[in-house]
Amino acid sequence: MKPKIVIGADHGGYRLKEELKPFLKQLGYSVEDVGTDSEESCDYPDYAFKVAAAVGNNNSGLDTFPPVVGILVCRSAAGMIIAANKVKGVRAVAALDETSARHSREHNAVNVLGLSGDWMTAEQAKKVVKAWLETPFTREERHSRRLQKIAEFEKKVFK
């Protein structure tokens, strides 16, 4: 079963987000857009937290693919990823190519993908997203062990 995708962007990622939504639906994914709805200047943490909360609330550990994943788009992807990683259960990364997207899934079970609205074309972003969505977590012991350490730390911090 394909995961639901919650997608969000600030003003710098709005155009790319809008180009990705029909592509994701064409691939057969259910897509929930949490904003923004224009190129008017806004604060990226607002949208990063919406996406991250939806993913974190539906995180059931180290699933091969969780039931809900997130995609965030801003100018660089950096700010969105910083904010998203503050939410318990979220493992977010910015990927600028297919190799980094696959690696993030295989080794880190990443559940939120960040994309750059300034440094990627829509075609590049589609390739990155497709690679990310088609790559499962390997479940190799060393990767699982490392992610378990992160989860244990989160339990201490987010009591």
Side-chain angles (χ1 to χ4, degrees):
M1 183 173 184
K2 291 185 177 191
K4 174 182 173 182
I5 298 172
V6 180
I7 191 168
D10 69 357
H11 55 283
Y14 172 74
R15 283 188 190 178
L16 182 55
K17 173 182 68 90
E18 291 302 305
E19 291 191 54
L20 287 174
K21 289 189 314 187
F23 172 73
L24 294 167
K25 290 176 183 175
Q26 180 184 2
L27 293 177
Y29 290 91
S30 167
V31 178
E32 178 184 349
D33 182 351
V34 297
T36 192
D37 297 320
S38 75
E39 292 182 86
E40 185 177 329
S41 184
C42 62
D43 295 335
Y44 65 81
D46 298 340
Y47 302 97
F49 292 144
K50 286 180 183 181
V51 169
V55 172
N57 288 338
N58 288 286
N59 183 5
S60 57
L62 298 177
D63 297 331
T64 301
F65 233 108
V68 178
V69 296
I71 297 176
L72 293 168
V73 192
C74 68
R75 294 211 180 280
S76 69
M80 288 281 209
I81 295 307
I82 291 168
N85 276 316
K86 303 298 181 191
V87 176
K88 182 180 180 181
V90 169
R91 291 177 303 279
V93 70
L96 297 175
D97 58 39
E98 294 165 83
T99 301
S100 60
R102 282 188 201 97
H103 185 275
S104 75
R105 282 291 310 140
E106 290 173 341
H107 292 229
N108 308 111
V110 165
N111 52 21
V112 175
L113 176 66
L115 302 170
S116 168
D118 280 356
W119 304 329
M120 302 176 86
T121 66
E123 290 312 307
Q124 288 171 320
K126 289 174 184 177
K127 288 178 183 177
V128 169
V129 167
K130 192 171 188 304
W132 184 71
L133 289 169
E134 291 177 350
T135 304
F137 176 53
T138 64
R139 296 188 164 281
E140 288 181 31
E141 190 278 330
R142 64 188 172 122
H143 302 310
S144 295
R145 181 183 69 245
R146 294 165 185 163
L147 294 173
Q148 188 59 42
K149 287 182 179 185
I150 294 169
E152 290 300 320
F153 182 81
E154 282 183 332
K155 287 179 186 174
K156 292 177 189 173
V157 173
F158 296 103
K159 292 181 183 179

